[in-house]
Amino acid sequence: MRKISLRTALVCAFVIVCSAGATWLEYQFDVTIRQPSVDINDLGKSLAGWDSKSVDLDPETARFVGAGSYVSRVYFREGKTPVSVYAAVWADRSIVSDISPHPPTMCYPNAGWTLVNQKEVILDDSLPVVLLEFSRAGERIVTAHWYQLGDLQYTDRASGRLGLSTLWGKKEWPPMVKVLIQTQAASIEDAEGRLTTIASEVNAFTKAIH
C-alpha cells in the first residue's frame, strides 16, 4: 500500500512538473507576429537580366503550404536553363512551433526524388544557402533554399533553433520567410552559378521583410 501511495505521489508530482513546464513554455512564446513590412509579391519581375512569368500554385498545394502570402515565378534568360523561384511569408503563430516549414530535404524525397549531393554556400557575406541535388527517373534538379526570421537567416530547424535566443523574451516576432529556388541541372556545379545569382537578387529584396 505504501509503495502504491509513493508511486501515485511520484506520478502526480511528474504531472504537475510537466504541466508547469508546458505553462511556462506557453508563456515564454505568447507572442504576436508582425505583419510583413514588404509585400512578397513586389519581388522584382526582372532579376540580374532574367525576366519572369508567374506560375500559380494549385489551390490544394497552396492550402497545404499555409503561407499568408507567396510568389511563384519562373525566371528565364536566352541561352540559360530556366530557374523557378518560390518565396513565401508566414505572419501567424504557426512559426512559433515550426520555424522551418516544408524543408526540401523532406518534401522532395516524399515526392519520389532521391537526394544525391548537397553543398552549403555563403552569399553576400552572411546568407547561408543549401544547394541540394536530386534525381528521379533519369531527371536531375538542383535546389537552393533558406529561411529568414527577422535578422536571423538559416537553412534548417537545428540552426534556426540555435538562433532563436535573439528573440527570447520578446512579445513580438517578425514574420518568417522561406525561399526555394530550383533548376534542372546535371550537377550542383552546373547549377550553382545561376542559382546563386538569382538567390543574391532575391535576398536583396526579402531581407527587408521584418
Side-chain angles (χ1 to χ4, degrees), residues 41-119:
N41 286 283
D42 289 337
L43 175 67
K45 294 181 179 179
S46 180
L47 299 175
W50 292 69
D51 295 322
S52 70
K53 62 179 180 180
S54 296
V55 179
D56 292 333
L57 293 182
D58 66 83
E60 182 62 22
T61 300
R63 184 196 64 77
F64 174 74
V65 169
S69 58
Y70 68 87
V71 62
S72 178
R73 296 192 188 134
V74 175
Y75 286 81
F76 51 90
R77 186 173 184 175
E78 186 175 356
K80 301 289 186 180
T81 303
V83 175
S84 299
V85 173
Y86 171 77
V89 178
W90 285 261
D92 58 66
R93 282 181 50 83
S94 66
I95 69 175
V96 174
S97 58
D98 189 359
I99 60 169
S100 57
H102 313 293
T105 49
M106 292 181 61
C107 290
Y108 280 80
N110 286 342
W113 293 90
T114 299
L115 179 60
V116 176
N117 196 10
Q118 65 183 68
K119 176 182 180 180

Side-chain angles (χ1 to χ4, degrees), residues 28 34 36-37 40-41 44-45 48 53 75 85 116 139 149 160 165 177 180 188 193 197:
Q28 289 297 312
R34 286 196 300 272
S37 55
I40 193 66
N41 286 283
K45 294 181 179 179
K53 62 179 180 180
Y75 286 81
V85 173
V116 176
E139 182 182 5
L149 192 59
S165 59
V177 181
L180 174 64
I188 286 178
T197 295

Side-chain angles (χ1 to χ4, degrees), residues 95-179:
I95 69 175
V96 174
S97 58
D98 189 359
I99 60 169
S100 57
H102 313 293
T105 49
M106 292 181 61
C107 290
Y108 280 80
N110 286 342
W113 293 90
T114 299
L115 179 60
V116 176
N117 196 10
Q118 65 183 68
K119 176 182 180 180
E120 181 167 328
V121 297
I122 302 297
L123 302 182
D124 307 325
D125 297 325
S126 61
L127 174 67
V129 176
V130 169
L131 305 176
L132 301 173
E133 180 184 336
F134 294 99
S135 68
R136 184 180 69 180
E139 182 182 5
R140 284 185 182 256
I141 59 173
V142 178
T143 66
H145 78 276
W146 72 92
Y147 298 91
Q148 174 184 303
L149 192 59
D151 293 327
L152 177 63
Q153 293 178 309
Y154 53 98
T155 58
D156 56 30
R157 184 169 300 173
S159 56
R161 289 293 182 191
L162 286 174
L164 273 183
S165 59
T166 59
L167 294 174
W168 286 354
K170 295 183 179 180
K171 294 301 181 181
E172 185 179 72
W173 285 16
M176 185 186 64
V177 181
K178 174 187 176 181
V179 177

